Amino acid sequence: MVKRRSAVLIVGLLVAAAPLAAQSRLGPDWSTNTNKRTISFGELMSGGPPKDGIPAIDEPRFVSQRQARRWIAPQEPILVVVLNGEAKGYPLQILTWHEIVNDAVGGVPVSVTFCPLCYSAVVFERQVGDVLLDFGVSGFLRNSDLVMFDRQTETLWQQLTGEAIMGDYVGTTLTPVPAQLISFAQFQEAYPDAKVLSRRTGHTREYGTNPYAGYDDIENTPFLYDGPTDDRLLPMEKVIAVSRSGLDVAYPHRITRARTVLHDQIGGESVVVFHTSGAVSALDEQVIHQSKEDGSTGVFLAQLDGRTLTFRAAGDGIADEETGSTWSITGKAVAGPLKGEQLTAITHGNYFAFAWLAFKPESTVFAE
């Protein structure tokens, strides 16, 4: 079960949870077209806070890394988005309290999202056709995962998959954007000029603390989850998950952390998974920077300029067998003959296994 300290804090945020099975509509605050839906009302659960009760950040401010060093520790996790040559960092210590940031990176409108109950950090393009969508937190959960809504049509969207599940946009899936969870120190080294999401959000929150203290424990039970179980993995075991070429694959952290580098084939493509030391968990200790080591991850195509590279752990870093070049967790060669070259990032996430497998039950689970 969830540790006592965790349960008390979580219940403080998520109260009066109840399924909506008996309801034929979402409630008086909603104008969602409920005639279009791919789920039943009974699959939605009230997480406690009402619509927008967890406030999304709609006008994000950013600060320099020098300014951010005053309040974020080197080992804290930060979600990094790189588009069209621009990089931005979104600390989990802020995302945990807001769950959605509506922003633009490299001129591309995006929504940066994080569901603490699933540890799912996912970034989507928010331009759908000719319409620019702004997303908020609905207050509903499905399989313990955040259900988002767009403010233009009030369609409900599943955060982990980006699928519209109820409303006018049913049949639409948001386009995912590659993003990476690494430590603030690794972010500074890889992107020294990149800006960091500011704590000046317009809201007063205890940034730097974890309201779900103790939740990230492999022996815990997922909170507010009554979905299917899968005997291949413990529910709270973390996985690096990839959807590519119509295939879904989950790589257990216990394997990737032990190997540092893991090669695989997905749909005929050679991919490589990196899992180095670096970031701590955002959901372990109440003070985030005091939390247990979780590691930093990246998934990339193993091909560069038509040549497939073979990677291996090399001391505290990563090297390729072909040239002996040294590579960072961000997939960039930082020394050797290939210095300056960049691997192609593959969209992936680090999730609790129960959440990934609830939405992707046909996933292959990598085994040694």
Side-chain angles (χ1 to χ4, degrees):
M1 295 297 290
V2 175
K3 294 178 182 177
R4 183 178 179 82
R5 60 172 178 157
S6 175
V8 171
L9 287 165
I10 293 174
V11 170
L13 289 177
L14 306 171
V15 295
L20 305 180
Q23 295 185 215
S24 60
R25 54 197 292 267
L26 298 177
D29 295 332
W30 292 92
S31 60
T32 307
N33 180 3
T34 58
N35 293 320
K36 296 181 67 175
R37 62 182 187 268
T38 59
I39 65 168
S40 68
F41 285 98
E43 293 180 63
L44 294 175
M45 179 175 286
S46 171
K51 177 185 182 183
D52 282 323
I54 296 175
I57 300 175
D58 294 320
E59 297 181 0
R61 300 180 180 183
F62 290 84
V63 297
S64 68
Q65 294 176 21
R66 178 183 58 80
Q67 293 171 299
R69 283 196 291 268
R70 300 170 185 169
W71 46 265
I72 183 170
Q75 67 271 32
E76 283 194 48
I78 188 166
L79 185 64
V80 183
V81 183
V82 184
L83 284 171
N84 297 329
E86 181 181 22
K88 287 185 175 181
Y90 302 83
L92 290 199
Q93 63 157 267
I94 299 175
L95 287 177
T96 298
W97 292 95
H98 294 280
E99 301 191 0
I100 298 174
V101 180
N102 293 301
D103 197 14
V105 181
V108 180
V110 297
S111 284
V112 179
T113 73
F114 179 60
C115 177
L117 295 179
C118 297
Y119 217 90
S120 49
V122 191
V123 181
F124 301 103
E125 293 185 15
R126 57 189 180 95
Q127 181 89 32
V128 177
D130 296 329
V131 181
L132 180 61
L133 300 178
D134 300 297
F135 289 92
V137 179
S138 71
F140 300 128
L141 300 171
R142 177 168 171 254
N143 289 331
S144 196
D145 182 50
L146 160 67
V147 175
M148 313 184 297
F149 75 98
D150 70 74
R151 297 197 179 98
Q152 285 65 37
T153 70
E154 298 205 341
T155 294
L156 300 184
W157 303 76
Q158 194 70 57
Q159 181 260 355
L160 195 145
T161 64
E163 295 174 299
I165 57 176
M166 187 179 297
D168 290 336
Y169 277 109
V170 161
T172 301
T173 300
L174 299 172
T175 301
V177 173
Q180 191 174 14
L181 273 178
I182 59 178
S183 73
F184 181 53
Q186 290 166 328
F187 171 72
Q188 293 178 89
E189 184 175 1
Y191 309 104
D193 299 322
K195 298 292 187 179
V196 180
L197 181 66
S198 171
R199 281 178 160 185
R200 295 178 62 194
T201 62
H203 303 276
T204 301
R205 296 292 187 273
E206 296 182 25
Y207 301 124
T209 66
N210 162 29
Y212 307 88
Y215 189 60
D216 189 356
D217 185 332
I218 198 169
E219 300 299 328
N220 272 344
T221 299
F223 195 70
L224 295 183
Y225 178 72
D226 60 359
T229 58
D230 192 311
D231 293 336
R232 292 177 293 176
L233 294 167
L234 291 174
M236 296 294 287
E237 186 171 356
K238 277 190 180 162
V239 297
I240 301 172
V242 179
S243 290
R244 192 165 178 87
S245 301
L247 302 173
D248 303 309
V249 186
Y251 302 92
H253 268 209
R254 56 183 163 78
I255 296 176
T256 56
R257 288 189 66 179
R259 291 195 181 188
T260 303
V261 174
L262 187 154
H263 283 273
D264 199 11
Q265 292 279 326
I266 301 179
E269 291 183 307
S270 296
V271 302
V272 61
V273 179
F274 293 168
H275 193 160
T276 68
S277 59
V280 298
S281 169
L283 299 181
D284 179 36
E285 295 294 335
Q286 186 170 1
V287 178
I288 292 175
H289 70 77
Q290 297 175 356
S291 294
K292 65 184 178 183
E293 168 78 28
D294 207 26
S296 301
T297 67
V299 182
F300 308 94
L301 291 179
Q303 288 188 324
L304 183 67
D305 296 330
R307 175 171 59 170
T308 300
L309 298 177
T310 306
F311 297 91
R312 58 178 173 81
D316 294 331
I318 295 166
D320 68 76
E321 298 280 7
E322 287 73 18
T323 72
S325 298
T326 302
W327 298 78
S328 73
I329 186 62
T330 62
K332 186 174 183 177
V334 294
L338 297 179
K339 183 177 179 179
E341 295 287 350
Q342 175 68 56
L343 299 176
T344 299
I346 291 177
T347 302
H348 72 285
N350 296 271
Y351 310 129
F352 292 127
F354 83 88
W356 178 254
L357 294 173
F359 293 105
K360 304 287 187 177
E362 302 303 318
S363 287
T364 297
V365 175
F366 186 90
E368 293 184 287

